[in-house]
Amino acid sequence: MSDYYEHDDLKKFAEIGKDAPELAQKFFDYYGAVFAEGELSAREKALIALAVAHTVQCPYCIDAYTTSCLEKGSNLGEMTEAVHVANAIRGGASLVHGIQMRKLAEKVSL
Amino acid sequence: MKDTLHNRFEQRLAKEEISLLRATTQILQVNTGLLCDLKCRHCHLSAGPGRQEIMSQATMQQMIDYATRNRFTTIDITGGAPELIPHLDQLLTGLAPLTSHLILRTNLTALSQPDKKPLLDLLVKLKVILVASFPSTNEGQLAAQRGEGVMDPSLKMLKQLNKLGYGIENSGLELNLAANPSGAFMPTAQEAAERKFKRDLARKWDLHFNNLFIFANMPLGRFADWLHQTGNFTSYMEKLQAGFNPCTLDGLMCRTLVSVAWDGFVYDCDFNQAANIPLGGKPVHISELEGLPERGTAIAVGEHCFACTAGSGFT
């Protein structure tokens, strides 16, 4: 696993701009705008990002948004609850498909 | 090693072509000693139970004499836990008429001890401004920073202070909270953190305060030990250095403050006390200091100064 995920690679994210600088610039400009203070505070956005990071299971994002949440003033209770929200949606998404399973099973069952 | 670290901040100032010089001194900070009932893991002075270094009555009188000879808009009494130092009442009573802002730092637990009722009455009478350590509204993080069982007495003390009028609008009694990050990361922006703390404390415990001050953790004392033990030192220092913001220099507290240690020796700030870097580069006792430190003289610096100059800074 360590061959694929190196902690220091996060610091090299900007290198993705090599060979496609215009696309990278558009992405990073958009990214910066998304996380700026808006109708949602920067702290709230970092909490959402933390939850999504767990959903997409991106170790770089988990690393970045754990620190970001702490530095923006969220506490561990709030951060843990955010992960539970991600987990509930993921679990709920699986479970609600059980209805499909039951419908299919009922259709072919006596 | 210290010279190398020391030079790194100086080198940065040189690179930016900036000098860190004293302005007009307006604040007198009095560190009454390293005795404390807590052993906080972020403490830059490694204060704690059993520490013998406390301010004597004679040094307290020298502090009062110095504050009489000079004009300070603010006098800030800190520790350790000043509440545990004998004759604190005499120091408060002596200093109160000499300034418009007399501040006492409290960790809340020391103030909640049963024999501190007369001290509380005196604080109210003198309208002493309180700055109370309350680094997190999360019990686990607060315990990790300040020790198990600290949350409950802290909340009870805040409740009692609110009942006395502290932190209540138009009471004339000011209660400010001080918070440090609960680890090796940068502090939250002050305004946003204050809004959140006010909302959380009111919602969870019906507690109220005036202002929240956010301080970066200093890579000194017990916190530096923790950084080294956990392998966080290098990355934390890199983070502080990467966050260096020259705009913070004008507002740095060391430019307008004289900080006196429990033994009466004089420093540019409380952190230089911990780093043992005296004001002016050589030990000077408060009894030998007639006037204010001279305007335009250089401030002694060390690598820890990066903690005051990172991000929005430490004023």
Side-chain angles (χ1 to χ4, degrees):
Chain A
M1 194 65 159
S2 62
D3 290 335
Y4 289 98
Y5 290 118
E6 295 288 346
H7 177 266
D8 281 350
D9 285 351
L10 181 58
K11 295 176 188 165
K12 301 173 186 165
F13 193 10
E15 290 179 17
I16 204 69
K18 286 179 181 171
D19 300 312
E22 289 174 7
L23 290 175
Q25 192 59 50
K26 284 178 193 291
F27 172 79
F28 287 120
D29 287 347
Y30 169 76
Y31 196 98
V34 165
F35 280 95
E37 200 90 14
E39 292 294 325
L40 292 171
S41 67
R43 186 185 75 85
E44 290 163 336
K45 288 179 181 182
L47 272 176
I48 294 169
L50 183 72
V52 176
H54 283 78
T55 304
V56 298
Q57 293 180 301
C58 166
Y60 302 120
C61 309
I62 292 170
D63 183 347
Y65 284 98
T66 296
T67 305
S68 179
C69 283
L70 288 168
E71 291 186 346
K72 287 185 167 52
S74 289
N75 64 43
L76 272 175
E78 292 163 326
M79 292 159 66
T80 306
E81 283 186 17
V83 173
H84 277 289
V85 171
N87 187 51
I89 295 298
R90 283 190 74 133
S94 293
L95 204 56
V96 75
H97 282 79
I99 300 299
Q100 193 174 1
M101 172 275 288
R102 292 190 63 84
K103 275 166 56 184
L104 291 167
E106 281 168 12
K107 189 177 178 187
V108 297
S109 299
L110 290 172
Chain B
M1 181 168 177
K2 186 183 259 184
D3 282 346
T4 312
L5 300 178
H6 176 78
N7 286 338
R8 214 177 295 177
F9 188 77
E10 283 190 331
Q11 282 165 9
R12 188 60 192 259
L13 292 181
K15 187 182 165 195
E16 303 282 340
E17 299 182 341
I18 303 169
S19 299
L20 185 56
L21 303 175
R22 296 196 66 91
T24 303
T25 302
Q26 295 172 328
I27 305 165
L28 174 64
Q29 189 174 57
V30 184
N31 193 311
T32 53
L34 307 184
L35 177 63
C36 190
D37 57 324
L38 303 180
K39 213 172 168 183
C40 295
R41 294 169 81 189
H42 69 284
C43 184
H44 61 274
L45 286 161
S46 304
R51 294 292 302 251
Q52 304 293 316
E53 302 92 333
I54 59 170
M55 188 170 273
S56 67
Q57 228 175 331
T59 307
M60 286 183 180
Q61 187 54 52
Q62 288 166 338
M63 296 303 315
I64 296 166
D65 293 344
Y66 183 65
T68 307
R69 291 196 296 273
N70 297 282
R71 166 84 185 135
F72 293 100
T73 55
T74 300
I75 299 179
D76 179 7
I77 299 174
T78 185
E83 305 96 317
L84 302 181
I85 308 299
H87 313 297
L88 175 70
D89 52 342
Q90 292 174 25
L91 182 67
L92 289 165
T93 307
L95 292 175
L98 305 176
T99 184
S100 50
H101 297 85
L102 181 61
I103 297 171
L104 180 72
R105 312 277 185 122
T106 174
N107 67 16
L108 295 171
T109 56
L111 196 55
S112 70
Q113 294 181 0
D115 62 342
K116 300 303 172 197
K117 175 77 174 65
L119 175 60
L120 272 171
D121 294 340
L122 182 65
L123 295 173
V124 171
K125 182 182 161 200
L126 299 176
K127 294 194 185 308
V128 175
I129 299 165
L130 295 181
V131 177
S133 300
F134 195 78
S136 179
T137 55
N138 176 277
E139 187 165 2
Q141 283 172 288
L142 192 123
Q145 198 162 348
R146 309 183 71 210
E148 293 293 338
V150 171
M151 183 68 131
D152 194 44
S154 299
L155 292 173
K156 283 183 179 151
M157 193 65 236
L158 286 173
K159 180 61 80 182
Q160 192 178 346
L161 290 171
N162 277 176
K163 277 188 187 157
L164 290 168
Y166 268 107
I168 305 301
E169 211 172 333
N170 301 321
S171 68
L173 295 170
E174 191 172 327
L175 172 62
N176 301 317
L177 300 188
N180 293 64
S182 55
F185 52 90
M186 298 294 284
T188 312
Q190 192 148 297
E191 282 180 24
E194 184 179 292
R195 279 197 302 273
K196 183 170 182 296
F197 261 64
K198 282 193 170 174
R199 193 178 63 230
D200 285 357
L201 262 74
R203 179 170 59 92
K204 291 184 179 180
W205 302 294
D206 191 26
L207 292 172
H208 308 277
F209 65 95
N210 297 100
N211 305 292
L212 176 70
F213 302 132
I214 301 277
F215 301 135
N217 285 321
M218 281 290 142
L220 292 166
R222 198 175 289 128
F223 186 66
D225 293 343
W226 176 83
L227 287 171
H228 284 297
Q229 284 158 12
T230 55
N232 279 302
F233 186 82
T234 302
S235 60
Y236 185 64
M237 292 311 300
E238 284 173 358
K239 191 172 277 206
L240 294 179
Q241 288 168 43
F244 179 79
N245 178 4
C247 299
T248 59
L249 289 162
D250 272 355
L252 290 180
M253 64 170 186
C254 56
R255 299 192 63 229
T256 55
L257 174 141
V258 59
S259 173
V260 186
W262 63 273
D263 56 1
F265 283 91
V266 181
Y267 298 83
D268 287 300
C269 72
D270 204 54
F271 309 123
N272 279 3
Q273 272 190 44
N276 198 22
I277 307 174
L279 184 145
K282 60 175 196 281
V284 175
H285 197 266
I286 191 70
S287 58
E288 303 165 324
L289 201 63
E290 194 58 38
L292 300 173
E294 206 171 323
R295 235 182 109 87
T297 51
I299 291 167
V301 294
E303 170 138 330
H304 58 280
C305 299
F306 279 114
C308 286
T309 53
S312 52
F314 184 7
T315 57

